[in-house]
Amino acid sequence: MAVSAGCARVLPVFECRSDPDFSTNQNQQKSSSRRFISGSFNGGGGLYSSLILRFPPNFVRQLSIKARRNCSNIGVAQVVAASWSNNNNTNKVPNVSTFDSASAASEIEIPSIDDEVVAAAGIDGGICNNGVQLSGLAALKASFLRSDGSITVHAGERLGRGIATDGITTPVVNTSAYWFKNSNELIDFKEGRHKSFEYGRYGNPTTVVAENKISALEGAESTILMSSGMCASTVMMFALVKKGGHIITTTDCYRKTRIFIDDFLVPNMNITVHVIDPADMDGLKSALEKNNVTLFFTESPTNPYLRCVDIDLVSKLCHSKGTLVCVDGTFATPLNQKALALGADLVLHSATKFIGGHNDVLAGCISGSEEVIAKIRKLHHVLGGTLNPNAAYLIIRGMKTLHLRIQQQNTTGLRIAEVLEAHLKVKRVHYPGLPSHPEHKIAMKQMTGFGGVVSFEIDGDLETTKTFIDALKIPYIAPSFGGCESIVDQPAIMSYWDLSQSGREMFGIKDNLVRFSFGVEDFEDLKDDILQALEVI
């Protein structure tokens, strides 16, 4: 591997760290300062970030043995780095991007780790007070992770995680229970002075990393991951809507959600339901006036017609009557739409879809305030539905490419929607990015991208539509959406085949409807495949 001349001045100083040697007198280490050489590579902004250069490569040796054993190295590193970067004295380290090759050998004074810095890292007497989770991670996020793309890669990990590792990737903690050193530590845990999970159903360090990453994206105080999107939906409604309560939802939605409400909540909990069109704000106002509504639950965009709800307006109307608002943002993703910032109390995702992004994991998540999430978490710990830590690892892995995938899928979705709308064999296209969409103006106001799913109606009947789908060569005929591989389905067959044609029409499902989820394949390949399939019919 070739390196520039400027690089040669830096590499000898930044040696790979071996296991810490604690044989040296720690008091002597603590009293001394560290010096190191800073520099940057020529061009491209440099490989080392300014944050990395703000602490010595062997800073962990300055921590006590117990701190090293009990705290996440990476988490402590970030707290220490934040302390140094916030220091306004003359020892402040300049940004590495301002350096050139001529300044590569300049020396920068780094303060030693004193008691105040150690205390800031959550260490008291060599023991990490925060246990498995470092507190205050949200406060550290904004200083150098300013975009969603960076957050998807680093949030929950670079900023500190409750797993002692020097690995870049978060390890999978496969355990069903957690042990305590003695009975007093157990009592401390029970009384809130010691952080742990106690039992696998109550949490897992790997899962917490994924939850923190999603919270950072959504701007939420707390996130809870469950074993599927439907698990998240049902537990949320069970936890928040009491017997005899009232729910408002929308006409266009995932069928299994409607089945749960109609067949389980209504008869078993005496819950009443008011269903409105996504754009019917007068209907919403009337329902709120006439009923003591506990929860307004909607998708935005909806499934499968991609209708959009004005989240800001809905939230204001609902909050004026004390009603909670939960938005299923699965189609939008946290990158294209920030439901909490728009006023919603909760945002729910089937993480199986875009968040996981690789068609290889089932998961669901809910984000919101700690107060509301705590109510859901309490019931979740009773019911189960726990996410396997291996699945949490796949969610973390998938999210690192979320912003790249969404960029590609947004672009492909919009361009294909425009191609389909201009085609003579397509009757109608349902995509919020098109001016013809009934809520296009709402989508433009509250979304930064319109997603990778396009629904459209073939100019023909059920058999004609089957012929079109069977002629496609790239997408898989399958349920679900949001993965790297394109997926296509005909809802009349895939999700509603148990109903008669008239029964499907009651739900607004037409025989000629196609739902196409675009993956990350090349746009031209997908376009050519669709056009050749349209020529077959």
Side-chain angles (χ1 to χ4, degrees):
M1 176 179 176
V3 295
S4 66
C7 174
R9 298 175 182 172
V10 178
L11 288 179
V13 179
F14 286 89
E15 299 175 353
C16 294
R17 191 185 71 199
S18 60
D19 289 338
D21 179 9
F22 297 109
S23 60
T24 307
N25 185 287
Q26 294 173 34
N27 293 329
Q28 293 177 357
Q29 290 181 358
K30 179 178 175 180
S31 63
S32 62
S33 296
R34 294 292 187 189
R35 299 166 75 88
F36 68 103
I37 308 299
S38 67
S40 66
F41 294 104
N42 292 328
L47 177 62
Y48 294 106
S49 71
S50 58
L51 182 68
I52 294 176
L53 292 178
R54 283 176 177 156
F55 51 84
N58 294 320
F59 78 97
V60 174
R61 296 182 184 178
Q62 299 179 12
L63 298 176
S64 69
I65 296 175
K66 289 185 178 180
R68 170 74 168 119
R69 290 177 178 172
N70 288 286
C71 295
S72 164
N73 298 339
I74 297 175
V76 175
Q78 297 306 323
V79 177
V80 172
S83 174
W84 283 327
S85 63
N86 292 330
N87 190 348
N88 294 322
N89 62 25
T90 57
N91 293 329
K92 183 176 180 180
V93 181
N95 193 309
V96 69
S97 63
T98 64
F99 293 168
D100 54 29
S101 58
S103 63
S106 63
E107 290 189 351
I108 299 174
E109 187 73 21
I110 296 297
S112 61
I113 299 178
D114 56 22
D115 293 336
E116 291 182 1
V117 174
V118 172
I123 302 165
D124 183 11
I127 299 175
C128 182
N129 290 331
N130 293 316
V132 295
Q133 296 185 61
L134 294 174
S135 63
L137 298 183
L140 296 175
K141 162 177 90 71
S143 62
F144 65 101
L145 299 181
R146 289 182 290 272
S147 69
D148 282 347
S150 299
I151 289 171
T152 57
V153 176
H154 291 298
E157 296 181 281
R158 187 80 192 225
L159 303 180
R161 53 190 161 195
I163 309 172
T165 177
D166 289 330
I168 292 176
T169 57
T170 297
V172 180
V173 180
N174 278 315
T175 185
S176 59
Y178 303 82
W179 64 282
F180 300 88
K181 292 193 292 290
N182 51 54
S183 297
N184 284 336
E185 186 176 81
L186 174 57
I187 293 172
D188 286 342
F189 164 74
K190 293 293 185 180
E191 296 182 355
R193 294 184 297 273
H194 174 74
K195 295 289 183 68
S196 184
F197 299 107
E198 183 183 5
Y199 188 57
R201 194 169 73 248
Y202 307 149
N204 178 278
T206 308
T207 304
V208 166
V209 170
E211 291 172 340
N212 288 342
K213 195 178 287 287
I214 295 169
S215 289
L217 270 182
E218 291 287 9
E221 290 181 0
S222 184
T223 293
I224 183 169
L225 272 164
M226 300 185 197
S227 57
S228 71
M230 274 307 300
C231 181
S233 297
T234 56
V235 174
M236 181 273 298
M237 283 187 269
F238 269 137
L240 300 181
V241 185
K242 304 302 180 184
K243 187 174 182 179
H246 193 98
I247 294 176
I248 300 177
T249 189
T250 51
T251 50
D252 192 35
C253 72
Y254 180 49
R255 188 187 177 195
K256 291 299 189 293
T257 302
R258 180 64 52 76
I259 288 174
F260 172 71
I261 293 173
D262 292 342
D263 295 354
F264 293 91
L265 289 185
V266 172
N268 297 329
M269 296 183 64
N270 195 30
I271 287 173
T272 53
V273 181
H274 198 95
V275 182
I276 65 170
D277 183 271
D280 187 7
M281 293 299 100
D282 289 335
L284 174 61
K285 293 176 184 177
S286 176
L288 289 169
E289 289 290 340
K290 295 177 181 179
N291 305 279
N292 182 18
V293 181
T294 307
L295 177 70
F296 177 77
F297 180 49
T298 185
E299 300 162 10
S300 189
T302 60
N303 184 16
Y305 286 104
L306 304 172
R307 301 289 302 277
C308 294
V309 174
D310 189 332
I311 300 173
D312 175 55
L313 178 57
V314 164
S315 298
K316 290 176 180 176
L317 293 173
C318 289
H319 291 162
S320 69
K321 298 296 182 179
T323 300
L324 290 173
V325 175
C326 179
V327 174
D328 184 333
T330 301
F331 275 87
T333 79
L335 272 67
N336 286 333
Q337 180 177 276
K338 306 289 188 184
L340 298 180
L342 291 166
D345 300 286
L346 297 167
V347 58
L348 183 148
H349 294 276
S350 171
T352 306
K353 311 303 192 296
F354 289 102
I355 289 178
H358 289 76
N359 291 319
D360 58 4
V361 62
L362 289 174
C365 63
I366 311 172
S367 302
S369 68
E370 181 56 50
E371 179 183 2
V372 180
I373 295 296
K375 298 176 182 178
I376 302 170
R377 184 180 288 112
K378 182 178 180 181
L379 181 61
H380 169 58
H381 287 174
V382 174
L383 296 179
T386 306
L387 186 70
N388 186 283
N390 295 279
Y393 174 85
L394 292 175
I395 295 294
I396 296 167
R397 184 282 318 268
M399 288 186 68
K400 290 179 186 291
T401 59
L402 178 61
H403 64 298
L404 302 175
R405 291 185 282 106
I406 294 303
Q407 288 173 12
Q408 175 76 5
Q409 289 164 315
N410 283 344
T411 301
T412 299
L414 180 58
R415 294 176 69 186
I416 292 291
E418 292 169 343
V419 170
L420 289 168
E421 193 170 50
H423 202 283
L424 295 177
K425 294 184 179 180
V426 177
K427 289 183 66 175
R428 187 176 180 183
V429 180
H430 305 274
Y431 188 72
L434 295 176
S436 59
H437 189 277
E439 285 86 45
H440 175 65
K441 291 183 179 179
I442 294 175
M444 289 289 291
K445 180 179 69 171
Q446 67 188 26
M447 300 180 73
T448 56
F450 307 108
V453 178
V454 179
S455 293
F456 54 97
E457 299 168 29
I458 295 294
D459 188 10
D461 57 11
L462 186 139
E463 291 300 324
T464 306
T465 307
K466 282 172 55 182
T467 301
F468 163 73
I469 287 179
D470 290 345
L472 291 166
K473 299 176 181 178
I474 293 177
Y476 292 94
I477 301 174
S480 196
F481 56 88
C484 292
E485 300 87 0
S486 289
I487 286 178
V488 67
D489 79 88
Q490 189 173 354
I493 298 176
M494 183 66 72
S495 303
Y496 292 85
W497 190 243
D498 58 312
L499 301 178
S500 63
Q501 185 179 36
S502 60
R504 294 194 291 270
E505 290 175 352
M506 289 180 60
F507 288 93
I509 302 301
K510 301 177 181 179
D511 286 348
N512 63 342
L513 180 66
V514 175
R515 190 184 72 177
F516 205 125
S517 170
F518 295 100
V520 296
E521 301 96 344
D522 181 76
F523 164 76
E524 293 295 337
D525 288 343
L526 288 166
K527 183 189 74 171
D528 291 345
D529 190 28
I530 290 172
L531 292 177
Q532 67 82 23
L534 286 170
E535 291 302 313
V536 172
I537 60 177

